[in-house]
Amino acid sequence: MNFEVKSWTDPQNGLNPEQVRQAKKNQIEEETGKSYRTIFQSNLLTLFNAINVFLAFLVLLTGSLRNMLFMGVVFFNALIGIVQEIRSKRKLDALALLNQPRVSIVRQGKEQIYSVDQIVENDILILRTGDQVPVDGVVIDGFAECNESMLTGESDAVLKRGGDTVYSGSYLEAGKIRMQAVLVGDQTYAHSILRHAKREKKYPSMLRDALDTIIRIITFLLIPAGLLLFGKSFFISHASLNDSILSMVAGVVGMIPEGLVILTSIALAIGALRLANRKVLVQELYCIETLARVDTLCLDKTGTITEGRMKVSGLEVFNGYTEEQVKEILSKLFSVLDDQNATAMAIREYCPRQEISYQKKIPFSSARKGSAVIFEEDAYVIGAYPFLVSDPDPEILKKIEDYAKQGIRVLTLCLAKEDLKTHFKGNHIPVALVLIQDVLRPNIQAILDYFARQDVTIKIISGDDVHTVQAIARKAGVQGTGIDMDSIEDVEDVVNSHSVFGRVTPEQKRDMIKVLKKQGHVVAMTGDGVNDVMALKEADCSIAMGSGSEATKNIASLVLLENQFSAMPSILDQGRCVINNIQRTASLFLVKTLMSLGLALMTLFLLDSYPFIPIQLTLISSLATGLPSFILTLEPNTERVKGNFLRTVLSRALPGALCVLFGILSVYCFDRFGHQNLDHEQFSTMCTILAGCNSLCVLLTVCKPMTRIRFVLVTLMIAAFCVCCIVPFFQDWFCIALDRLQPIQILYVLIHIPLIFWFVWFVTKKVEKLPL
C-alpha cells in the first residue's frame, strides 16, 4: 500500500498554526461512552416514567394528593440512577484521558508533545525506539526497525528508510525517524481493519434479554388492563369517578416495575466504577455480566501470562571464558548499542551500562539477526547462532534446541574473527550462550488456579513456537497438550483436545472462537494487537491490554489500562455481584408486578373493586422492594452464578405473588361465606396487611443466606411495617383502618401470617423444579 502525498511539509519547521487549523484532524467521530444528555434521557424519558406521570396527573384530578406518593419512588429512582451513571462516566472519562497516548510533533521549528488526536494531516512527527506509530505516513529522514506484528501477525521487524511507508499500529524496535503524516483519523490502515471488525452488534446478555422480555410483556398488558379496571369500577360497580380513578391507578402502578431498569443501570454503573478504581476501563456495561458467565478464557502468551519483558536466566560459557568475563563483554556491548527491544533491555538489567570507547557499532536488523561492536582491541557479535557462524557446531545447535523446548530464547555471543565491515557472518568463535526467558506475571499460577476452580477452561493461543508457548504455559500452571497450528486447516478438530496453541494465525484465532461459541461455550478473549481484532470481535467478552494497539482497545469491551491481568478475578467477581444482586432486586419488583396482574384479573371477574389504593401499594413497595433493592444492589455478592436469569427471578417472585392472590381470595371468601359484610376500607386493610407480610416474607427469602447487613435490613423493614400498621398517625396516612377490624377479623389475619411463610417456602421449592 503506497500513499499519494499531496504536498510535502518542511521537515525541519513543520506546519504553522494556520496550516494546522485548516488540515484534517486525526479524530474519529465515535461515541466512546454515554453522554450526559444520554444519561438524563435514559433515566428520565422512559415509557414507565411517562405512564407514572400520566397516572399522577389523574390522581391530582381527584384531589387525593397523598396517593401521588408513588411519584417519590419514581423520582428518587431516576435521581440515584443519574448520579451513579454520571459518577461512573466522570471516572471512566478521566481514565481514558489519562491514558491517551502522546507523540512528538514539529511545528514552527519546535518539537513539542501532543496527544495523538491533535495530529493533523501533513504534520511532521518524530518517533523513537519504543514509540507506536499513531497515523499512516512516509519516512522523510532517519531509519528504524518497525514491528508490524499488530497489523500482520508477523513478528519479524521491517527496516524503514527515507521514502518508505509506515502504518499506524506498528512500533519502532530500534532507530529514530522523522515522518510526515499522510492518512489520519478514519483513513488509516489500522482503522480500516477496525471499521470492518466493529460491525453493529450487541454483546450477548441474558440479563438484558430477560429485562427486555419482562418490559415488553408488561407494556403490552398495561394500557388495556387499566382501561378494563376503570370500566369495571365506574360502569359496572358504579363507584364514583374519583374512586374509580384511584382504583385503576393502584392497579396499574402495581404492575409497573418502576425501579427495575434503573436499578439494573445502577448496578452496572457501580460495577464499572469499582473496576475503574482498579484501572479497568469498561466500554460495554453488559460485558461485566457476560464475563461472569464465561466458561472458556482464551489468553495470549505475551503480555497476558507474561509481563511482556524478558530476563537473563543464565549463561553457558565456552572456550575458557568465565561468567564474569562474559558479563563484562555484554556490559560493553550493550553500553554501545542503542537497541531498545525486550532482549536488549533484559541484558542491560543483567549487566549495567558503563562508559566505553569503540570504533564502530552495527545495530540489530531483522535481516542479519544480530548486532556487533568493534572495539580498539577486539570485536564481538551477538545474535542468532546460525546467522552468525558459517559452520555451526551441531552440539551447540542441539543445546539451543533443547533450551527452546523449555521456553528459553538463546542468543550466542561470539568473538569476531572476520572483518565485520564487509562480512557479518563468518568463522567467529563462540564465547557463551545467553539464556533469556519471558517473565511470568506475579501470582499468575494463583490467578489461573482461581479460574480453574470456577470451571473456566483456559486456552493459551500464541503466534510463537509451540514448544516455547507450552513451556511457559506449564510454568503458569496450564498442563494441557500443545499443538502447532501451522499445518492445521480445520480448527474444529483440535480446539477441544488441546489447551496450548502455537503458530496461530489471526484467522485461526477467529475461527477457534467461532467453534467454541458454536459448541455452546461463553468465550472471553484477551489481545493486544490489530491481528487479534477479528478474534476479539467474535468473542462474547473481549479484553484488551492497555499497552496494545489503539484498534484493539477501541473494539474491546474491557481495557486493562495497566496490563494488570491480576484484575481478572475482580472483574469476574463484579460480574457475579451485578447478576446476583439484580436477580434479588428483580424478584422483589416482580412480586408486585405479578401480584398486580393477578389482582387485575380477579377484580375483573370476581372482586367488586380493586382491593388497594395507590398509597397502600406505595407503603408495601417502599418497605419490601424500594429501600431493600438499593441496599442489595450495593452489597458485595460474589457467589457463583447459577441457572437461567429469568427462571431464577420467577422462581423467587412467583410464590410471593401467588401467596398474595390466595390471601386476598381467602379474605374475599371469609367475607362472602363468613357473613362479615366487610366494607371496602376493612377489606382493603386486611389485604394490605397480608400483602405487606407476604412481600416482607419474599424479602426474607431472597436475602438467604442471611448476613449481618441483610438481617438488619429485614428487621428494620418488618419493624417499619409494624409501626405503620399500629401507630395512628401512619394508619391515617396509609389508610389502614386497623381499629375498625373486629377481633375475629384480626385473628383471621394473624393466623394467615405464619401460613404465608410456609406457603412461600413450599411454592418456591415447586417452582424451582419447573422447566422455565
Side-chain angles (χ1 to χ4, degrees):
M1 178 180 176
N2 294 317
F3 303 130
E4 180 184 347
V5 183
K6 297 176 183 178
S7 62
W8 292 97
T9 306
D10 181 349
Q12 301 303 318
N13 294 317
L15 301 178
N16 59 45
E18 181 61 23
Q19 290 172 319
V20 171
R21 188 182 66 81
Q22 296 180 0
K24 177 178 173 59
K25 306 294 189 292
N26 184 44
Q27 295 175 352
I28 301 169
E29 295 298 326
E30 286 185 343
E31 186 66 43
T32 56
K34 277 189 176 183
S35 64
Y36 287 109
R37 179 179 179 181
T38 303
I39 290 173
F40 276 94
Q41 286 180 340
S42 63
N43 284 278
L44 295 176
L45 304 182
T46 66
L47 175 62
F48 284 163
N49 281 357
I51 293 173
N52 275 299
V53 170
F54 176 71
L55 295 175
F57 174 73
L58 294 179
V59 173
L60 181 64
L61 295 179
T62 70
S64 181
L65 298 184
R66 62 180 169 179
N67 279 296
M68 292 176 58
L69 192 61
F70 65 88
M71 283 301 296
V73 178
V74 176
F75 172 77
F76 283 108
N77 277 342
L79 179 63
I80 293 171
I82 290 170
V83 170
Q84 286 290 358
E85 289 201 56
I86 288 178
R87 186 182 171 204
S88 177
K89 172 184 168 56
R90 287 178 174 173
K91 181 69 175 181
L92 297 178
D93 286 350
L95 280 178
L97 182 64
L98 211 63
N99 288 271
Q100 190 176 45
R102 299 182 177 276
V103 66
S104 295
I105 304 178
V106 176
R107 290 178 181 168
Q108 290 189 300
K110 295 181 179 179
E111 179 183 348
Q112 293 181 301
I113 304 297
Y114 296 88
S115 61
V116 293
D117 62 356
Q118 292 178 292
I119 300 171
V120 300
E121 191 176 57
N122 295 323
D123 252 333
I124 301 299
L125 313 181
I126 297 178
L127 301 177
R128 299 173 175 82
T129 300
D131 287 345
Q132 188 172 46
V133 181
V135 295
D136 296 347
V138 177
V139 178
I140 56 178
D141 186 33
F143 66 92
E145 294 276 343
C146 260
N147 187 312
E148 297 179 345
S149 62
M150 288 190 175
L151 299 171
T152 65
E154 299 292 334
S155 58
D156 291 339
V158 180
L159 181 63
K160 300 290 184 179
R161 298 181 182 274
D164 290 340
T165 57
V166 286
Y167 303 101
S168 57
S170 59
Y171 64 92
L172 275 62
E173 283 192 345
K176 175 183 174 181
I177 59 172
R178 192 175 287 242
M179 65 168 281
Q180 179 171 331
V182 179
L183 299 180
V184 299
D186 55 10
Q187 295 178 333
T188 63
Y189 176 63
H191 188 265
S192 69
I193 299 175
L194 177 63
R195 184 170 56 243
H196 171 72
K198 210 168 186 179
R199 65 182 181 182
E200 287 297 321
K201 77 166 195 175
K202 285 186 176 180
Y203 281 87
S205 170
M206 189 183 298
L207 171 61
R208 182 189 58 232
D209 294 345
L211 291 176
D212 287 346
T213 300
I214 292 169
I215 290 168
R216 187 166 57 250
I217 293 173
I218 292 172
T219 303
F220 178 77
L221 296 174
L222 210 57
I223 296 176
L227 293 175
L228 289 172
L229 284 173
F230 178 81
K232 168 72 183 294
S233 179
F234 188 70
F235 294 108
I236 297 177
S237 299
H238 303 293
S240 67
L241 178 63
N242 284 358
D243 288 344
S244 297
I245 290 175
L246 291 177
S247 176
M248 182 269 290
V249 169
V252 174
V253 166
M255 297 179 196
I256 302 173
E258 65 279 333
L260 180 56
V261 177
I262 293 175
L263 279 173
T264 301
S265 297
I266 291 173
L268 291 169
I270 290 172
L273 188 61
R274 287 172 177 168
L275 291 175
N277 290 331
R278 296 182 62 87
K279 298 295 186 287
V280 178
L281 183 61
V282 179
Q283 303 190 123
E284 167 61 42
L285 280 179
Y286 280 100
C287 75
I288 300 175
E289 175 220 349
T290 305
L291 188 60
R293 299 187 184 277
V294 162
D295 60 22
T296 305
L297 179 60
C298 298
L299 305 174
D300 190 20
K301 174 183 72 70
T302 306
T304 302
I305 62 175
T306 67
E307 291 185 354
R309 66 183 183 90
M310 316 290 287
K311 71 174 181 179
V312 177
S313 59
L315 300 170
E316 187 167 339
V317 298
F318 305 108
N319 296 315
Y321 283 84
T322 66
E323 287 192 9
E324 290 302 318
Q325 289 174 317
V326 172
K327 284 185 178 181
E328 179 66 21
I329 295 169
L330 291 173
S331 175
K332 290 165 59 178
L333 274 173
F334 285 89
S335 295
V336 174
L337 293 170
D338 296 323
D339 299 345
Q340 294 296 324
N341 53 45
T343 302
M345 289 189 284
I347 294 175
R348 288 196 188 97
E349 185 178 348
Y350 186 66
C351 307
R353 284 187 171 188
Q354 56 180 291
E355 293 294 329
I356 192 75
S357 60
Y358 65 96
Q359 292 182 359
K360 181 179 176 61
K361 61 181 175 182
I362 303 173
F364 175 86
S365 78
S366 56
R368 54 179 168 259
K369 301 291 185 185
S371 52
V373 177
I374 302 173
F375 299 103
E376 293 179 1
E377 297 179 354
D378 46 27
Y380 291 93
V381 294
I382 187 168
Y385 182 63
F387 288 83
L388 303 183
V389 180
S390 301
D391 187 17
D393 185 338
E395 290 189 10
I396 294 180
L397 289 174
K398 181 66 168 59
K399 287 178 181 289
I400 293 173
E401 182 181 351
D402 291 340
Y403 281 124
K405 290 180 180 179
Q406 300 174 44
I408 298 174
R409 184 179 302 178
V410 181
L411 294 180
T412 306
L413 175 66
C414 294
L415 175 65
K417 293 312 240 181
E418 304 284 347
D419 183 2
L420 296 176
K421 296 177 182 179
T422 56
H423 297 92
F424 188 80
K425 186 175 183 179
N427 244 336
H428 307 311
I429 300 174
V431 171
L433 299 180
V434 183
L435 311 180
I436 299 175
Q437 63 185 58
D438 288 286
V439 179
L440 289 176
R441 288 192 177 279
N443 303 320
I444 186 64
Q445 288 185 333
I447 295 170
L448 296 185
D449 284 345
Y450 171 82
F451 281 108
R453 291 195 303 272
Q454 308 306 316
D455 292 331
V456 177
T457 302
I458 302 294
K459 304 281 185 184
I460 308 294
I461 304 174
S462 177
D464 288 347
D465 179 78
V466 66
H467 298 296
T468 302
V469 181
Q470 186 159 11
I472 291 173
R474 284 174 179 167
K475 291 178 183 177
V478 179
Q479 300 298 327
T481 57
I483 185 171
D484 190 327
M485 297 292 290
D486 199 29
S487 59
I488 302 297
E489 294 184 1
D490 189 356
V491 300
E492 192 167 0
D493 295 335
V494 299
V495 72
N496 286 315
S497 56
H498 296 79
S499 299
V500 179
F501 304 85
R503 300 298 184 198
V504 185
T505 66
E507 291 76 17
Q508 285 176 325
K509 290 182 182 180
R510 176 199 60 200
D511 292 343
M512 289 172 69
I513 301 295
K514 283 184 175 180
V515 169
L516 289 167
K517 288 173 61 180
K518 183 180 177 182
Q519 294 172 349
H521 297 287
V522 181
V523 186
M525 168 78 188
T526 66
D528 60 359
V530 175
N531 61 306
D532 295 320
V533 164
M534 290 186 289
L536 290 169
K537 177 194 70 174
E538 290 298 332
D540 295 310
C541 183
S542 51
I543 305 156
M545 297 295 160
S547 60
S549 70
E550 290 305 303
T552 309
K553 288 187 283 187
N554 283 336
I555 197 175
S557 43
L558 293 169
V559 182
L560 306 181
L561 294 172
E562 296 181 351
N563 304 320
Q564 69 283 26
F565 187 68
S566 58
M568 290 291 287
S570 296
I571 300 173
L572 182 66
D573 287 346
Q574 283 304 320
R576 290 178 172 181
C577 186
V578 167
I579 299 172
N580 288 327
N581 287 340
I582 291 177
Q583 282 182 170
R584 293 182 188 281
T585 56
S587 60
L588 293 176
F589 281 105
L590 289 184
V591 167
K592 182 168 68 77
T593 298
L594 294 175
M595 174 196 76
S596 298
L597 288 171
L599 279 180
L601 292 174
M602 287 179 62
T603 302
L604 292 174
F605 297 105
L606 184 64
L607 304 179
D608 293 331
S609 61
Y610 198 78
F612 302 112
I613 58 175
I615 190 66
Q616 293 168 336
L617 287 178
T618 300
L619 169 65
I620 296 170
S621 61
S622 297
L623 296 180
T625 304
L627 293 175
S629 64
F630 284 113
I631 302 299
L632 294 175
T633 300
L634 298 173
E635 185 185 26
N637 186 353
T638 59
E639 295 175 14
R640 186 174 174 184
V641 177
K642 298 178 182 178
N644 179 278
F645 175 81
L646 196 54
R647 175 179 175 174
T648 303
V649 169
L650 288 176
S651 69
R652 290 174 174 171
L654 194 55
L658 289 174
C659 190
V660 172
L661 296 178
F662 283 124
I664 292 172
L665 182 61
S666 171
V667 174
Y668 171 79
C669 293
F670 176 66
D671 177 35
R672 179 63 58 91
F673 302 110
H675 306 291
Q676 296 297 308
N677 297 318
L678 297 174
D679 59 25
H680 184 272
E681 191 175 26
Q682 291 172 315
F683 185 78
S684 179
T685 296
M686 294 179 69
C687 290
T688 299
I689 294 172
L690 289 178
C693 291
N694 177 83
S695 297
L696 291 170
C697 178
V698 174
L699 174 62
L700 181 64
T701 302
V702 301
C703 283
K704 292 180 180 178
M706 192 65 66
T707 62
R708 179 178 298 178
I709 189 170
R710 294 176 190 174
F711 176 78
V712 172
L713 173 66
V714 172
T715 302
L716 288 176
M717 295 303 101
I718 292 175
F721 184 71
C722 292
V723 168
C724 291
C725 290
I726 296 172
V727 176
F729 171 80
F730 292 109
Q731 286 182 352
D732 293 341
W733 181 256
F734 291 108
C735 298
I736 299 175
L738 190 63
D739 57 330
R740 294 199 57 226
L741 295 182
Q742 300 298 319
I744 190 171
Q745 296 164 357
I746 295 175
L747 179 63
Y748 189 83
V749 170
L750 293 176
I751 290 174
H752 267 70
I753 292 176
L755 291 176
I756 287 173
F757 285 85
W758 175 85
F759 185 87
V760 170
W761 173 85
F762 178 77
V763 178
T764 299
K765 293 297 182 183
K766 295 296 182 183
V767 171
E768 286 176 350
K769 298 178 181 180
L770 294 177
L772 297 176

